Amino acid sequence: MHVVACHDCDLLNQFPDKAAATLLCARCGAVLYRHRPDSIDRSLALTLGALILFIVALSFPFLAMKSGGFVQETRLLTGIRELWRQQLYGLATLVLLTCVLVPLGQIAGLLYLLAPLKWDLPAPHAIRVFRLLRHVAPWGMLEIFMLGILVALVKLGKMATIVPGISVFAFGLLVLVMAAAISALDPPLLWDRLDRRR
Ligand SMILES: [Zn+2]
């Protein structure tokens, strides 16, 4: 038997260890746990997709500015360097963190966690990595960054013709695929598998 507290009404529910696919609170019917089938495979596949999108987002042009027959293309990393050169250090650091380092860390962390479980490879400190991943999640603010870009596009549109590059679309997809990869995770299953390997 194991005991699960209901997050809605605080009732302590008791379930047998071999439990059903979905556990409901006995008093209020809230869903306490839902088994996600093939969660490791699905999350791993989505994470690999996210890695490809991330590489595309960094290697293709982000924006092209057309003004008076003059076209200037910017990639994300050159854009960050440009912000730094114009002494916008805070903004450059923020973009570097939220658009490059945090997504990269999340993708690397998920791969480090999931690939060894899938192929039965050693992964020292995997539990620490999983904890870290859950702490870092709120710092990946790609979504907010995407909104900022849309606002900037609309405003700059009056001064020059702005053409969003492949990179912008790759980032947009990356937001969705990362969210799907994380929601495909089954934390109780992961804790259990990680614990057994220790
Ligand atoms: Zn309840």
Side-chain angles (χ1 to χ4, degrees):
M1 295 291 265
H2 66 281
V3 175
V4 184
C6 175
H7 43 73
D8 282 352
C9 72
D10 291 330
L11 178 72
L12 292 176
N13 290 270
Q14 287 200 334
F15 296 107
D17 277 334
K18 283 246 181 284
T22 306
L23 301 183
L24 301 177
C25 174
R27 180 156 64 198
C28 71
V31 177
L32 302 181
Y33 170 72
R34 179 170 282 142
H35 174 66
R36 299 176 177 91
D38 305 325
S39 88
I40 289 174
D41 281 358
R42 282 198 304 150
S43 191
L44 187 59
L46 288 163
T47 307
L48 288 173
L51 178 65
I52 293 167
L53 286 169
F54 184 71
I55 293 169
V56 170
L58 287 194
S59 24
F60 283 87
F62 194 72
L63 295 175
M65 243 191 257
K66 284 184 200 165
S67 141
F70 181 73
V71 181
Q72 194 183 8
E73 279 187 340
T74 310
R75 272 157 228 262
L76 187 71
L77 290 176
T78 49
I80 292 173
R81 205 174 58 203
E82 194 57 38
L83 287 173
W84 190 267
R85 275 224 311 252
Q86 292 180 15
Q87 300 180 341
L88 296 164
Y89 302 123
L91 190 59
T93 310
L94 194 67
V95 177
L96 183 68
L97 257 180
T98 56
C99 293
V100 183
L101 298 182
V102 169
L104 184 64
Q106 282 181 321
I107 292 170
L110 281 172
L111 286 179
Y112 185 77
L113 203 62
L114 296 170
L117 287 179
K118 166 84 181 149
W119 290 293
D120 217 13
L121 304 166
H125 306 298
I127 288 187
R128 208 173 293 168
V129 170
F130 189 34
R131 279 212 190 99
L132 200 67
L133 265 180
R134 289 162 77 88
H135 282 303
V136 155
W139 287 96
M141 288 184 286
L142 267 175
E143 301 87 336
I144 294 168
F145 177 74
M146 286 304 293
L147 262 179
I149 292 182
L150 289 178
V151 171
L153 281 179
V154 171
K155 286 198 163 174
L156 281 170
K158 290 170 191 152
M159 287 152 39
T161 310
I162 308 282
V163 185
I166 292 173
S167 173
V168 172
F169 298 107
F171 263 119
L173 276 177
L174 180 60
V175 171
L176 296 178
V177 173
M178 274 307 280
I182 288 172
S183 75
L185 283 178
D186 186 342
L189 174 84
L190 270 185
W191 284 125
D192 188 50
R193 295 275 307 261
L194 290 172
D195 222 27
R196 246 183 292 157
R197 296 174 57 120
R198 201 151 48 164

